[in-house]
Amino acid sequence: MKKFLHLVKDGSVFAYGALAGRKTELTSGSINRSIFSLAIPMVMELVMESVFVSINLLIIAKLGDKVLGLVGITDNYINFANAIAIGLGIAAATLTARRAGEKDKEGMEQTAQYIILLAFGFALLVGGLSFIFASDIIGFLGIKPDSIDHGVLFSQLVFLSIGLVILRLSINGLFRGAGDASLAMKSLWLCHISSMVFAVIFVFGLGFIPAYGLMGLAYATVLSRLLAVIYQFFILLTGKTSIKIGTKFHFDLSLTKKILKITFGGLVQYIIPASSWLIMVKIIATFGTTALAGYIIAQRIASVATMPAWGIGNAAGVLTGQNLGAGNPDRAEKTVWRAGGINMTYLVAVALFWQLAAEYVVTFFTSEAQVAHYAVQYIHVVSMAYLLLGFTMVISRALNAAGNIMQVTLLYMIMFYVIQLPLAYLLGVRLQWELKGIFTAIVSSEIVLAVLFLMIFRNGKWKTIKI
């Protein structure tokens, strides 16, 4: 018992240190400590993302169905526009991790300068164009601009804040690559917590502040995103991170091309699953709204349970980059296998839990028997692939960090466009297996992807890539 309590105490102290930003040597010492020192704050980022989405949905629902439709459409557009931010974040984390492993502070500073300048450029371009054409965008996506009071102005403000999201995600990529995952976590927490607080105040009113309704939601969105970016620049300019941006700027065309190449690969990686999800929704919708509701509920429930595994995968990616930069490819490989094993153990436990408790959990989200049936069926079938999914999450991030981004992108294209979507249509629609066929296609594509990732990782060529 004493040993158990001692382990709990040590674990709590370590977790607190990781969340507080206590520095850990990532390229030597215990591999487990290195993994969890980065994974803990990364997991907490994803937890906050889930909490924010849930609470934000409750606030928006109070404003009525029309507003919910408008916000849903603007969010979908922003998700696609954020592909640039995701790409820049991957480039930032990949290059910064490699330079950090090499102990090349000048290279880290130069990379940070270029990432931030490019982020500013894309922020002005994407945010500005989205602001100008906001009315046309929401009209094209299915909302009549004059059907909702202040609908256009709301869209303009929210679209303008896309620029702030591009900056925040890009700078968070720099923090993660440098091993400062807690700073990325804190900026995201600041953004989402302030957004929820501002939303309650400005949407419903408080004291002398009137209830602005829909526009209050726009004000909350813009202010919270601005606050997060100000916090990030405060960190950068006051030296609270190992990344400096105040050094003299030197133009480097090769570095610019390198960043843009990695950004493009990351952008495509993000767009492929996002677009395939929309196509999958369209296929499932042919079976009726009940089937679609079951699929969406199950997918969201399952995604929450797998969030810790994605945090471990992201941590493994940073550690791969830093160890390769430090000239320790063998340690990088061991880190990936160790992280994969941890992920596999966790996800197998999750899969067993779903086999026993999926029906019980689903009843919290729907009282419709047929919807619940479809949701439980999805969770039972898809969780069968969790054994390999743990390694897929880790290896995909590791290959990205090694600079093998285009190959990862190609594998995603094969998984979603060559296997999953055609097979889902064949089994579900043509052979009339309906949702059972859809879920079988999803599991089959996940298994094929995992096997391909394992084959590429084992051949070891990723260890020799120079970036």
Side-chain angles (χ1 to χ4, degrees), residues 25 51 189 219 228:
E25 177 54 51
V51 171
W189 275 58
Y219 301 149

Side-chain angles (χ1 to χ4, degrees), residues 307-341:
M307 278 184 180
W310 283 113
I312 293 171
N314 291 336
V318 172
L319 291 170
T320 298
Q322 290 213 11
N323 281 300
L324 289 177
N328 294 327
D330 290 339
R331 180 180 169 86
E333 185 174 7
K334 288 179 182 177
T335 299
V336 172
W337 288 121
R338 186 75 56 82

Side-chain angles (χ1 to χ4, degrees), residues 14 24 31 119 129 219 265 268 339 428 432 456 461:
F14 176 75
T24 301
I31 291 177
L129 289 175
Y219 301 149
V268 176
Q432 298 182 350
I456 290 172
K461 292 181 180 179

Side-chain angles (χ1 to χ4, degrees), residues 207-338:
F208 65 89
I209 301 175
Y212 290 104
L214 177 62
M215 289 309 300
L217 192 63
Y219 301 149
T221 301
V222 174
L223 287 174
S224 61
R225 291 174 178 176
L226 178 61
L227 187 62
V229 171
I230 290 172
Y231 167 76
Q232 288 178 319
F233 275 97
F234 171 77
I235 294 297
L236 288 168
L237 294 172
T238 54
K240 296 182 182 296
T241 175
S242 50
I243 300 170
K244 304 291 186 297
I245 59 172
T247 55
K248 187 176 179 181
F249 179 79
H250 298 285
F251 180 71
D252 187 336
L253 181 61
S254 64
L255 178 58
T256 305
K257 290 180 178 178
K258 190 180 297 182
I259 292 174
L260 290 175
K261 181 181 178 181
I262 296 174
T263 298
F264 176 76
L267 180 155
V268 176
Q269 270 186 38
Y270 175 80
I271 287 177
I272 289 170
S275 60
S276 69
W277 185 81
L278 292 176
I279 298 171
M280 184 65 78
V281 165
K282 191 171 181 64
I283 293 173
I284 293 175
T286 62
F287 304 120
T289 56
T290 301
L292 182 59
Y295 170 70
I296 291 175
I297 287 172
Q299 190 186 57
R300 292 189 178 183
I301 293 172
S303 68
V304 171
T306 57
M307 278 184 180
W310 283 113
I312 293 171
N314 291 336
V318 172
L319 291 170
T320 298
Q322 290 213 11
N323 281 300
L324 289 177
N328 294 327
D330 290 339
R331 180 180 169 86
E333 185 174 7
K334 288 179 182 177
T335 299
V336 172
W337 288 121
R338 186 75 56 82

